[in-house]
Amino acid sequence: MRLLLADIKFIILFPLLNTCFLIANGQAKTNIGSIEYDSLKDDRNFKICHFYEQSLPQYYEVGTVYEGGLKSIKKHFSEKFIPDNSDSTLNGYLTIRFVVNCEGQTGWYRFLETTLEYNYYEFNPVFKLKLLAITKTLDQWKPGLYNNKPCDSYKFLTFKILKGNIADILP
Amino acid sequence: MNKVVLLLFLFSLAFNSVKAQTATKNSDNCRLAERLYRLEEDSTRQGSPQSQALLDSAIKLCPGYSVPYMEKSVAFNKTGDFFNGFLWLNKAVEMDPLTHMGYRGWIKLRKLRDFKGAEKDLKEFDQLSPNDAQYAWGEHIYYLLGECKLGMQDFDSALYYYKKYIQLAAADRGESYIEVYAFVYAGIAGFQKKQYSNASIYFDKALNYYGNCAEAFYYKALILFYTGREKEARIYMYKAKENFEAGYYHRDKYNEYLYQLYLSDITESIRLISEKDFR
Protein backbone atom coordinates (compact mmCIF):
# COMPACT_ATOMS: atom_id res chain seq x y z
CA MET A 1 0.00 0.00 0.00
CA ARG A 2 2.84 2.30 0.95
CA LEU A 3 4.59 1.53 -2.32
CA LEU A 4 1.42 2.21 -4.28
CA LEU A 5 0.97 5.62 -2.68
CA ALA A 6 4.61 6.42 -3.39
CA ASP A 7 4.11 5.45 -7.04
CA ILE A 8 1.00 7.63 -7.36
CA LYS A 9 2.84 10.49 -5.70
CA PHE A 10 5.70 10.11 -8.16
CA ILE A 11 3.36 10.10 -11.19
CA ILE A 12 1.83 13.33 -9.97
CA LEU A 13 5.23 14.78 -9.23
CA PHE A 14 6.77 13.78 -12.55
CA PRO A 15 5.93 16.99 -14.48
CA LEU A 16 7.14 19.06 -11.55
CA LEU A 17 10.41 17.17 -11.38
CA ASN A 18 10.91 17.59 -15.11
CA THR A 19 10.49 21.31 -14.65
CA CYS A 20 13.07 21.20 -11.90
CA PHE A 21 15.48 19.37 -14.21
CA LEU A 22 15.07 22.32 -16.58
CA ILE A 23 15.79 24.87 -13.83
CA ALA A 24 18.77 22.83 -12.68
CA ASN A 25 19.95 22.38 -16.29
CA GLY A 26 19.38 18.61 -16.03
CA GLN A 27 22.68 18.14 -14.20
CA ALA A 28 22.10 14.88 -12.33
CA LYS A 29 21.38 11.68 -14.19
CA THR A 30 22.40 9.11 -11.60
CA ASN A 31 22.14 8.67 -7.85
CA ILE A 32 24.95 10.15 -5.80
CA GLY A 33 27.44 7.38 -5.11
CA SER A 34 26.28 5.14 -7.96
CA ILE A 35 28.90 2.90 -9.52
CA GLU A 36 28.49 1.78 -13.11
CA TYR A 37 30.31 -1.31 -14.36
CA ASP A 38 33.44 -0.33 -16.28
CA SER A 39 34.81 -3.08 -18.49
CA LEU A 40 38.27 -1.47 -18.45
CA LYS A 41 38.77 -1.64 -14.70
CA ASP A 42 36.18 -3.97 -13.20
CA ASP A 43 36.38 -7.74 -12.81
CA ARG A 44 34.05 -9.20 -15.43
CA ASN A 45 33.40 -12.23 -13.23
CA PHE A 46 31.88 -10.15 -10.45
CA LYS A 47 28.11 -10.00 -10.84
CA ILE A 48 25.34 -8.40 -8.89
CA CYS A 49 22.46 -10.75 -8.15
CA HIS A 50 19.46 -8.56 -8.85
CA PHE A 51 18.26 -5.76 -11.08
CA TYR A 52 17.56 -2.47 -9.31
CA GLU A 53 15.34 0.04 -11.06
CA GLN A 54 16.73 3.06 -9.23
CA SER A 55 19.98 2.16 -7.56
CA LEU A 56 21.55 -0.52 -5.41
CA PRO A 57 20.72 0.07 -1.76
CA GLN A 58 23.33 1.55 0.56
CA TYR A 59 24.86 -0.67 3.27
CA TYR A 60 22.99 1.18 6.03
CA GLU A 61 19.65 0.62 4.33
CA VAL A 62 19.96 -3.17 4.32
CA GLY A 63 22.48 -3.91 7.09
CA THR A 64 25.56 -5.04 5.14
CA VAL A 65 28.33 -5.77 7.66
CA TYR A 66 31.71 -7.41 7.97
CA GLU A 67 32.02 -10.40 10.30
CA GLY A 68 33.56 -9.05 13.51
CA GLY A 69 32.96 -5.41 12.49
CA LEU A 70 35.61 -2.75 12.11
CA LYS A 71 37.65 -4.41 14.84
CA SER A 72 38.18 -7.35 12.53
CA ILE A 73 38.86 -5.11 9.50
CA LYS A 74 41.43 -3.10 11.48
CA LYS A 75 43.14 -6.31 12.58
CA HIS A 76 43.24 -7.50 8.96
CA PHE A 77 44.93 -4.28 7.84
CA SER A 78 47.33 -4.16 10.78
CA GLU A 79 48.54 -7.63 9.75
CA LYS A 80 48.80 -6.97 6.03
CA PHE A 81 49.61 -3.28 5.58
CA ILE A 82 53.31 -2.48 5.54
CA PRO A 83 54.07 1.28 5.69
CA ASP A 84 56.67 2.59 3.30
CA ASN A 85 59.01 5.49 4.10
CA SER A 86 58.39 6.94 0.66
CA ASP A 87 54.73 7.45 1.63
CA SER A 88 55.53 9.56 4.70
CA THR A 89 54.23 12.74 3.04
CA LEU A 90 50.77 11.25 2.46
CA ASN A 91 47.98 12.64 4.64
CA GLY A 92 44.24 12.61 4.08
CA TYR A 93 41.13 10.48 3.87
CA LEU A 94 41.08 7.74 1.25
CA THR A 95 37.70 6.12 0.68
CA ILE A 96 37.33 2.87 -1.20
CA ARG A 97 33.75 2.43 -2.33
CA PHE A 98 32.51 -0.87 -3.70
CA VAL A 99 29.64 -3.29 -4.09
CA VAL A 100 28.96 -6.27 -1.83
CA ASN A 101 26.77 -8.68 -3.77
CA CYS A 102 24.14 -11.02 -2.34
CA GLU A 103 26.77 -13.75 -1.91
CA GLY A 104 29.14 -11.52 0.06
CA GLN A 105 31.55 -11.09 -2.85
CA THR A 106 32.92 -7.64 -3.65
CA GLY A 107 33.71 -5.70 -6.81
CA TRP A 108 33.40 -2.41 -8.74
CA TYR A 109 35.88 -0.61 -6.49
CA ARG A 110 36.21 3.18 -6.73
CA PHE A 111 38.43 5.72 -4.93
CA LEU A 112 37.34 8.97 -3.30
CA GLU A 113 39.96 11.15 -1.65
CA THR A 114 40.42 14.39 0.29
CA THR A 115 42.98 16.15 2.42
CA LEU A 116 42.54 16.05 6.19
CA GLU A 117 40.75 19.42 5.77
CA TYR A 118 38.40 17.93 3.13
CA ASN A 119 39.98 19.71 0.16
CA TYR A 120 40.83 18.15 -3.19
CA TYR A 121 43.64 15.60 -2.99
CA GLU A 122 45.02 12.71 -4.95
CA PHE A 123 46.97 10.00 -3.18
CA ASN A 124 49.84 8.42 -5.02
CA PRO A 125 48.45 5.62 -7.23
CA VAL A 126 50.80 2.95 -5.88
CA PHE A 127 49.66 3.67 -2.33
CA LYS A 128 46.02 3.48 -3.40
CA LEU A 129 46.54 0.16 -5.13
CA LYS A 130 48.28 -1.20 -2.04
CA LEU A 131 45.22 -0.41 0.11
CA LEU A 132 42.89 -1.69 -2.59
CA ALA A 133 44.73 -5.00 -2.80
CA ILE A 134 44.27 -5.55 0.95
CA THR A 135 40.64 -4.44 0.80
CA LYS A 136 40.03 -7.08 -1.85
CA THR A 137 41.26 -9.77 0.53
CA LEU A 138 38.51 -9.00 3.06
CA ASP A 139 36.38 -12.09 2.54
CA GLN A 140 33.93 -12.14 5.42
CA TRP A 141 31.26 -9.74 4.17
CA LYS A 142 27.71 -10.51 5.23
CA PRO A 143 25.30 -9.19 2.59
CA GLY A 144 22.42 -6.96 3.57
CA LEU A 145 18.86 -8.24 3.60
CA TYR A 146 15.91 -6.95 1.62
CA ASN A 147 12.56 -8.61 2.30
CA ASN A 148 14.57 -11.11 4.39
CA LYS A 149 16.60 -12.17 1.33
CA PRO A 150 20.31 -11.42 0.80
CA CYS A 151 20.75 -8.50 -1.57
CA ASP A 152 23.50 -6.44 -3.24
CA SER A 153 24.52 -3.10 -1.75
CA TYR A 154 27.08 -0.32 -1.79
CA LYS A 155 29.64 -0.21 0.99
CA PHE A 156 32.70 1.91 1.65
CA LEU A 157 35.74 1.98 3.89
CA THR A 158 37.46 5.27 4.65
CA PHE A 159 41.11 5.18 5.68
CA LYS A 160 42.46 8.10 7.67
CA ILE A 161 46.07 8.34 6.52
CA LEU A 162 48.67 10.17 8.59
CA LYS A 163 52.24 10.27 7.23
CA GLY A 164 51.55 7.23 5.07
CA ASN A 165 50.19 5.14 7.97
CA ILE A 166 46.63 4.00 8.57
CA ALA A 167 45.57 6.05 11.61
CA ASP A 168 41.95 4.93 11.57
CA ILE A 169 39.41 3.03 9.48
CA LEU A 170 35.85 4.26 9.17
CA PRO A 171 32.84 4.30 9.25
CA MET B 1 -1.92 13.57 -1.62
CA ASN B 2 -3.82 16.88 -1.43
CA LYS B 3 -0.65 18.52 -0.21
CA VAL B 4 1.23 17.34 -3.28
CA VAL B 5 -1.47 18.56 -5.70
CA LEU B 6 -1.56 21.88 -3.91
CA LEU B 7 2.22 22.15 -4.12
CA LEU B 8 2.13 21.33 -7.81
CA PHE B 9 -0.44 24.05 -8.37
CA LEU B 10 1.51 26.57 -6.31
CA PHE B 11 4.67 25.64 -8.11
CA SER B 12 3.11 26.07 -11.55
CA LEU B 13 1.85 29.51 -10.59
CA ALA B 14 5.14 30.53 -9.10
CA PHE B 15 7.24 29.06 -11.89
CA ASN B 16 5.31 30.97 -14.50
CA SER B 17 6.20 34.03 -12.52
CA VAL B 18 9.84 32.97 -12.42
CA LYS B 19 9.82 32.63 -16.18
CA ALA B 20 8.30 36.04 -16.48
CA GLN B 21 11.06 37.22 -14.13
CA THR B 22 10.30 40.92 -14.01
CA ALA B 23 7.24 40.58 -11.80
CA THR B 24 8.79 38.10 -9.35
CA LYS B 25 10.43 39.30 -6.19
CA ASN B 26 13.33 37.51 -4.53
CA SER B 27 11.23 36.72 -1.50
CA ASP B 28 8.73 34.83 -3.66
CA ASN B 29 11.57 32.81 -5.17
CA CYS B 30 12.83 31.99 -1.72
CA ARG B 31 9.41 30.88 -0.54
CA LEU B 32 9.22 28.62 -3.56
CA ALA B 33 12.74 27.34 -2.90
CA GLU B 34 11.67 26.43 0.61
CA ARG B 35 8.71 24.49 -0.78
CA LEU B 36 10.95 22.64 -3.20
CA TYR B 37 13.23 21.70 -0.36
CA ARG B 38 10.28 20.38 1.67
CA LEU B 39 9.10 18.43 -1.35
CA GLU B 40 12.57 16.93 -1.76
CA GLU B 41 12.60 15.95 1.90
CA ASP B 42 9.13 14.38 1.81
CA SER B 43 8.98 12.75 -1.59
CA THR B 44 12.35 11.75 -2.99
CA ARG B 45 15.10 9.29 -2.25
CA GLN B 46 18.17 11.03 -0.85
CA GLY B 47 20.81 11.49 -3.55
CA SER B 48 18.48 10.50 -6.42
CA PRO B 49 18.36 12.59 -9.61
CA GLN B 50 14.91 13.83 -8.52
CA SER B 51 16.27 14.90 -5.14
CA GLN B 52 19.25 16.62 -6.72
CA ALA B 53 17.06 18.42 -9.26
CA LEU B 54 14.79 19.80 -6.54
CA LEU B 55 17.73 20.93 -4.40
CA ASP B 56 19.60 22.44 -7.36
CA SER B 57 16.43 24.27 -8.37
CA ALA B 58 15.95 25.57 -4.84
CA ILE B 59 19.54 26.87 -4.84
CA LYS B 60 19.08 28.55 -8.24
CA LEU B 61 15.86 30.19 -7.16
CA CYS B 62 17.21 31.44 -3.84
CA PRO B 63 21.02 31.34 -3.68
CA GLY B 64 21.05 32.78 -0.16
CA TYR B 65 18.93 29.96 1.31
CA SER B 66 21.42 27.71 3.13
CA VAL B 67 19.34 24.60 3.86
CA PRO B 68 19.46 22.97 0.37
CA TYR B 69 23.26 23.37 0.36
CA MET B 70 23.44 21.46 3.62
CA GLU B 71 20.95 18.88 2.37
CA LYS B 72 23.04 18.33 -0.77
CA SER B 73 26.02 17.52 1.43
CA VAL B 74 24.20 14.70 3.21
CA ALA B 75 24.04 12.18 0.35
CA PHE B 76 27.71 12.78 -0.49
CA ASN B 77 28.87 12.29 3.08
CA LYS B 78 26.69 9.20 3.51
CA THR B 79 28.36 7.61 0.49
CA GLY B 80 31.92 8.44 1.61
CA ASP B 81 32.43 11.33 -0.82
CA PHE B 82 33.67 13.76 1.80
CA PHE B 83 35.26 16.13 -0.72
CA ASN B 84 31.89 16.95 -2.31
CA GLY B 85 30.07 16.62 0.99
CA PHE B 86 32.19 19.29 2.64
CA LEU B 87 32.13 21.47 -0.47
CA TRP B 88 28.37 21.89 0.05
CA LEU B 89 28.37 21.79 3.84
CA ASN B 90 31.06 24.47 4.10
CA LYS B 91 28.95 26.74 1.89
CA ALA B 92 25.96 26.21 4.17
CA VAL B 93 28.06 26.98 7.27
CA GLU B 94 29.48 30.13 5.63
CA MET B 95 25.96 31.35 4.86
CA ASP B 96 24.34 30.48 8.19
CA PRO B 97 26.79 29.34 10.87
CA LEU B 98 24.24 29.27 13.67
CA THR B 99 22.12 26.70 11.79
CA HIS B 100 24.88 24.50 10.34
CA MET B 101 28.12 24.85 12.34
CA GLY B 102 26.97 22.39 15.03
CA TYR B 103 25.93 19.83 12.42
CA ARG B 104 29.33 20.10 10.70
CA GLY B 105 31.03 19.47 14.05
CA TRP B 106 28.79 16.46 14.61
CA ILE B 107 29.62 15.06 11.15
CA LYS B 108 33.35 15.50 11.75
CA LEU B 109 33.07 13.76 15.10
CA ARG B 110 30.80 10.85 14.28
CA LYS B 111 31.55 10.16 10.63
CA LEU B 112 35.24 11.04 10.42
CA ARG B 113 36.59 10.87 13.97
CA ASP B 114 38.17 14.23 13.24
CA PHE B 115 38.22 15.10 16.93
CA LYS B 116 40.12 18.37 16.62
CA GLY B 117 38.04 19.59 13.68
CA ALA B 118 34.84 18.67 15.51
CA GLU B 119 35.97 20.39 18.71
CA LYS B 120 36.74 23.60 16.81
CA ASP B 121 33.32 23.67 15.14
CA LEU B 122 31.43 22.78 18.31
CA LYS B 123 33.20 25.45 20.36
CA GLU B 124 32.56 28.10 17.69
CA PHE B 125 28.95 26.98 17.56
CA ASP B 126 28.71 27.35 21.35
CA GLN B 127 30.06 30.88 21.17
CA LEU B 128 27.55 31.92 18.50
CA SER B 129 24.81 31.88 21.08
CA PRO B 130 26.44 31.65 24.50
CA ASN B 131 23.29 32.01 26.57
CA ASP B 132 21.33 29.19 25.00
CA ALA B 133 21.66 25.46 25.56
CA GLN B 134 23.21 24.24 22.33
CA TYR B 135 22.41 21.00 20.61
CA ALA B 136 24.16 19.73 17.52
CA TRP B 137 22.02 17.28 15.53
CA GLY B 138 19.98 16.63 18.65
CA GLU B 139 22.89 16.01 21.01
CA HIS B 140 24.13 18.42 23.67
CA ILE B 141 27.41 20.00 22.66
CA TYR B 142 29.09 19.36 26.02
CA TYR B 143 28.27 15.67 25.58
CA LEU B 144 29.83 15.85 22.11
CA LEU B 145 32.83 17.86 23.32
CA GLY B 146 33.38 15.17 25.95
CA GLU B 147 33.51 12.65 23.11
CA CYS B 148 35.99 14.83 21.17
CA LYS B 149 38.30 14.91 24.20
CA LEU B 150 37.85 11.20 24.85
CA GLY B 151 38.83 10.55 21.23
CA MET B 152 41.94 12.69 21.72
CA GLN B 153 42.69 10.65 24.85
CA ASP B 154 42.53 13.81 26.94
CA PHE B 155 40.63 12.04 29.72
CA ASP B 156 40.63 14.93 32.23
CA SER B 157 39.00 17.27 29.72
CA ALA B 158 36.58 14.53 28.66
CA LEU B 159 35.50 14.15 32.29
CA TYR B 160 35.18 17.93 32.59
CA TYR B 161 32.73 18.12 29.67
CA TYR B 162 30.73 15.03 30.67
CA LYS B 163 30.35 16.39 34.21
CA LYS B 164 29.31 19.76 32.81
CA TYR B 165 26.72 18.13 30.58
CA ILE B 166 25.41 15.89 33.38
CA GLN B 167 25.08 18.86 35.76
CA LEU B 168 23.30 21.04 33.19
CA ALA B 169 20.98 18.29 32.03
CA ALA B 170 20.14 17.23 35.59
CA ALA B 171 19.35 20.82 36.57
CA ASP B 172 17.29 21.30 33.45
CA ARG B 173 15.11 18.18 33.37
CA GLY B 174 16.33 15.81 36.06
CA GLU B 175 18.95 13.07 36.09
CA SER B 176 16.68 10.46 34.50
CA TYR B 177 16.62 12.51 31.29
CA ILE B 178 20.38 12.50 30.89
CA GLU B 179 21.77 10.62 27.90
CA VAL B 180 22.84 7.44 29.66
CA TYR B 181 26.00 7.09 27.56
CA ALA B 182 27.29 10.29 29.19
CA PHE B 183 27.65 8.16 32.34
CA VAL B 184 29.23 5.32 30.36
CA TYR B 185 31.75 7.59 28.60
CA ALA B 186 32.55 9.50 31.81
CA GLY B 187 33.16 6.08 33.35
CA ILE B 188 35.43 5.08 30.47
CA ALA B 189 37.43 8.33 30.89
CA GLY B 190 37.88 7.51 34.59
CA PHE B 191 38.68 3.89 33.78
CA GLN B 192 41.41 4.97 31.34
CA LYS B 193 42.91 7.11 34.12
CA LYS B 194 42.73 4.05 36.41
CA GLN B 195 40.46 5.99 38.77
CA TYR B 196 38.43 2.86 39.34
CA SER B 197 36.23 3.95 42.22
CA ASN B 198 35.13 7.15 40.45
CA ALA B 199 34.60 5.28 37.20
CA SER B 200 32.54 2.67 39.03
CA ILE B 201 30.15 5.35 40.28
CA TYR B 202 29.45 6.37 36.68
CA PHE B 203 28.86 2.79 35.53
CA ASP B 204 26.49 2.25 38.47
CA LYS B 205 24.60 5.39 37.44
CA ALA B 206 24.36 4.08 33.89
CA LEU B 207 22.99 0.76 35.15
CA ASN B 208 20.57 2.59 37.42
CA TYR B 209 18.92 4.27 34.42
CA TYR B 210 19.57 1.55 31.81
CA GLY B 211 19.70 -1.75 33.62
CA ASN B 212 20.65 -3.71 30.48
CA CYS B 213 23.59 -1.56 29.39
CA ALA B 214 26.19 -4.07 28.15
CA GLU B 215 29.01 -1.48 28.18
CA ALA B 216 28.39 -0.56 31.83
CA PHE B 217 28.43 -4.26 32.83
CA TYR B 218 31.58 -4.83 30.79
CA TYR B 219 33.63 -1.97 32.25
CA LYS B 220 32.29 -2.58 35.74
CA ALA B 221 33.44 -6.20 35.38
CA LEU B 222 36.91 -5.07 34.27
CA ILE B 223 37.17 -2.75 37.30
CA LEU B 224 36.13 -5.58 39.62
CA PHE B 225 38.70 -7.83 37.96
CA TYR B 226 41.53 -5.28 38.21
CA THR B 227 40.72 -4.67 41.87
CA GLY B 228 40.94 -8.36 42.75
CA ARG B 229 37.24 -9.21 42.91
CA GLU B 230 37.30 -11.95 40.27
CA LYS B 231 34.10 -13.73 41.26
CA GLU B 232 31.98 -10.55 40.99
CA ALA B 233 33.84 -9.62 37.80
CA ARG B 234 32.81 -12.93 36.30
CA ILE B 235 29.13 -12.34 37.15
CA TYR B 236 29.21 -8.85 35.63
CA MET B 237 31.04 -10.03 32.50
CA TYR B 238 28.41 -12.71 31.91
CA LYS B 239 25.73 -10.06 32.35
CA ALA B 240 27.56 -7.98 29.73
CA LYS B 241 27.48 -10.99 27.39
CA GLU B 242 23.85 -11.77 28.04
CA ASN B 243 22.77 -8.17 27.43
CA PHE B 244 25.05 -7.74 24.43
CA GLU B 245 23.57 -10.83 22.81
CA ALA B 246 20.09 -9.48 23.52
CA GLY B 247 21.05 -6.31 21.60
CA TYR B 248 21.48 -3.91 24.53
CA TYR B 249 24.61 -2.12 23.37
CA HIS B 250 25.50 1.15 21.67
CA ARG B 251 25.32 0.83 17.89
CA ASP B 252 24.48 2.77 14.80
CA LYS B 253 23.67 1.49 11.32
CA TYR B 254 25.89 4.12 9.66
CA ASN B 255 29.08 3.89 11.68
CA GLU B 256 30.70 2.40 14.73
CA TYR B 257 30.94 4.40 17.95
CA LEU B 258 34.00 5.46 19.84
CA TYR B 259 34.94 2.59 22.19
CA GLN B 260 32.57 0.35 20.26
CA LEU B 261 32.00 -2.82 22.25
CA TYR B 262 32.24 -6.20 20.48
CA LEU B 263 31.11 -9.61 21.61
CA SER B 264 34.72 -10.75 21.12
CA ASP B 265 35.86 -8.15 23.73
CA ILE B 266 33.51 -9.75 26.24
CA THR B 267 34.37 -13.37 25.41
CA GLU B 268 38.11 -12.62 25.55
CA SER B 269 37.62 -11.01 28.98
CA ILE B 270 35.61 -14.00 30.19
CA ARG B 271 38.50 -16.23 29.14
CA LEU B 272 40.96 -13.98 30.97
CA ILE B 273 38.88 -13.97 34.16
CA SER B 274 38.41 -17.76 33.99
CA GLU B 275 42.16 -18.34 33.57
CA LYS B 276 42.82 -16.25 36.70
CA ASP B 277 40.18 -18.29 38.59
CA PHE B 278 42.02 -21.52 37.83
CA ARG B 279 45.42 -20.30 39.00
Side-chain angles (χ1 to χ4, degrees):
Chain A
M1 187 61 185
R2 202 173 157 195
L3 189 67
L4 188 65
L5 276 176
D7 287 345
I8 294 167
K9 217 173 185 183
F10 187 78
I11 291 164
I12 292 169
L13 286 175
F14 193 69
L16 169 59
L17 291 170
N18 274 344
T19 315
C20 282
F21 275 119
L22 289 177
I23 301 177
N25 297 329
Q27 286 161 351
K29 289 187 174 61
T30 58
N31 287 273
I32 288 171
S34 283
I35 302 174
E36 303 296 327
Y37 170 72
D38 182 340
S39 59
L40 294 177
K41 51 183 163 185
D42 294 326
D43 177 0
R44 73 177 69 169
N45 295 317
F46 174 76
K47 304 277 182 215
I48 56 169
C49 308
H50 305 291
F51 170 73
Y52 299 85
E53 202 159 314
Q54 283 201 8
S55 165
L56 266 70
Q58 309 292 339
Y59 70 96
Y60 52 81
E61 293 173 317
V62 293
T64 311
V65 291
Y66 194 75
E67 184 69 43
L70 270 183
K71 184 184 175 188
S72 176
I73 292 175
K74 286 176 184 174
K75 185 170 178 282
H76 188 83
F77 274 86
S78 70
E79 287 165 358
K80 294 198 181 319
F81 178 79
I82 301 163
D84 191 320
N85 281 343
S86 64
D87 293 331
S88 62
T89 56
L90 299 178
N91 294 292
Y93 291 97
L94 176 62
T95 294
I96 299 180
R97 190 166 161 75
F98 51 93
V99 171
V100 180
N101 75 9
C102 74
E103 291 171 355
Q105 298 157 339
T106 54
W108 302 0
Y109 297 90
R110 298 291 182 272
F111 293 111
L112 296 158
E113 39 213 310
T114 74
T115 64
L116 293 171
E117 293 77 32
Y118 316 108
N119 297 315
Y120 182 79
Y121 187 60
E122 278 185 33
F123 281 88
N124 121 27
V126 178
F127 181 81
K128 289 198 287 191
L129 290 176
K130 189 160 85 171
L131 280 187
L132 177 62
I134 303 172
T135 302
K136 285 181 175 178
T137 62
L138 290 166
D139 58 2
Q140 298 293 315
W141 290 102
K142 291 163 79 177
L145 297 175
Y146 184 73
N147 285 340
N148 288 323
K149 287 181 185 156
C151 65
D152 314 298
S153 62
Y154 290 119
K155 174 67 188 161
F156 70 86
L157 293 174
T158 297
F159 301 89
K160 187 174 185 176
I161 305 300
L162 295 179
K163 295 180 180 174
N165 283 298
I166 301 172
D168 206 352
I169 305 178
L170 309 159
Chain B
M1 179 70 77
N2 288 340
K3 191 177 152 197
V4 174
V5 175
L6 178 67
L7 277 173
L8 186 63
F9 175 64
L10 286 169
F11 177 82
S12 309
L13 286 179
F15 183 62
N16 285 335
S17 304
V18 171
K19 272 173 88 179
Q21 284 188 355
T22 48
T24 308
K25 291 175 185 171
N26 279 345
S27 59
D28 291 335
N29 282 356
C30 290
R31 270 198 292 276
L32 178 57
E34 201 172 324
R35 285 180 188 279
L36 292 182
Y37 163 68
R38 298 274 169 229
L39 194 60
E40 184 275 340
E41 205 181 25
D42 294 344
S43 315
T44 66
R45 186 177 179 194
Q46 209 167 45
S48 65
Q50 293 82 7
S51 154
Q52 293 174 71
L54 284 167
L55 293 173
D56 290 342
S57 301
I59 288 169
K60 278 211 166 184
L61 285 167
C62 185
Y65 177 39
S66 67
V67 177
Y69 292 80
M70 176 270 189
E71 186 59 28
K72 270 187 78 75
S73 77
V74 177
F76 286 112
N77 285 335
K78 277 184 169 178
T79 53
D81 185 351
F82 298 110
F83 169 70
N84 279 305
F86 275 83
L87 211 61
W88 289 104
L89 186 52
N90 288 344
K91 282 182 192 172
V93 172
E94 217 171 279
M95 292 159 77
D96 185 355
L98 188 59
T99 304
H100 305 295
M101 181 78 82
Y103 171 71
R104 190 173 69 180
W106 183 88
I107 285 282
K108 286 179 182 177
L109 174 63
R110 288 285 164 80
K111 309 300 163 191
L112 289 143
R113 298 203 185 186
D114 171 6
F115 302 115
K116 284 186 181 167
E119 181 192 20
K120 187 172 178 290
D121 278 352
L122 292 169
K123 281 186 170 171
E124 277 186 39
F125 174 54
D126 192 26
Q127 283 166 3
L128 288 171
S129 184
N131 297 323
D132 295 330
Q134 294 286 29
Y135 288 84
W137 218 235
E139 296 184 75
H140 197 284
I141 63 156
Y142 294 146
Y143 175 73
L144 296 172
L145 281 167
E147 197 171 316
C148 291
K149 292 296 187 184
L150 196 60
M152 289 185 245
Q153 305 201 330
D154 178 354
F155 302 118
D156 285 321
S157 301
L159 270 169
Y160 166 80
Y161 280 114
Y162 285 124
K163 279 182 190 167
K164 202 167 168 175
Y165 161 67
I166 289 166
Q167 278 169 3
L168 280 173
D172 186 29
R173 297 186 67 195
E175 202 174 77
S176 59
Y177 285 92
I178 293 171
E179 164 54 57
V180 78
Y181 278 89
F183 295 123
V184 174
Y185 281 128
I188 290 174
F191 174 83
Q192 294 292 353
K193 284 174 61 67
K194 295 190 169 57
Q195 293 176 347
Y196 294 141
S197 57
N198 278 342
S200 206
I201 292 169
Y202 285 115
F203 295 127
D204 287 339
K205 284 261 188 200
L207 287 170
N208 188 33
Y209 293 112
Y210 177 25
N212 296 101
C213 181
E215 289 86 356
F217 279 119
Y218 172 76
Y219 283 100
K220 178 92 182 167
L222 287 182
I223 289 172
L224 289 165
F225 180 65
Y226 292 146
T227 51
R229 294 157 68 184
E230 285 90 4
K231 278 187 183 167
E232 288 166 89
R234 201 181 155 88
I235 293 166
Y236 271 82
M237 203 54 93
Y238 272 102
K239 281 189 176 174
K241 184 170 184 278
E242 181 188 317
N243 284 292
F244 187 99
E245 286 173 337
Y248 298 114
Y249 64 97
H250 212 20
R251 57 192 156 153
D252 184 295
K253 63 182 179 176
Y254 294 100
N255 53 268
E256 295 199 351
Y257 279 109
L258 189 62
Y259 288 95
Q260 182 72 50
L261 184 64
Y262 297 89
L263 186 58
S264 60
D265 296 328
I266 301 172
T267 52
E268 281 162 22
S269 299
I270 287 175
R271 189 176 47 79
L272 197 73
I273 294 168
S274 303
E275 280 173 8
K276 183 100 188 264
D277 268 358
F278 285 116
R279 272 181 214 158

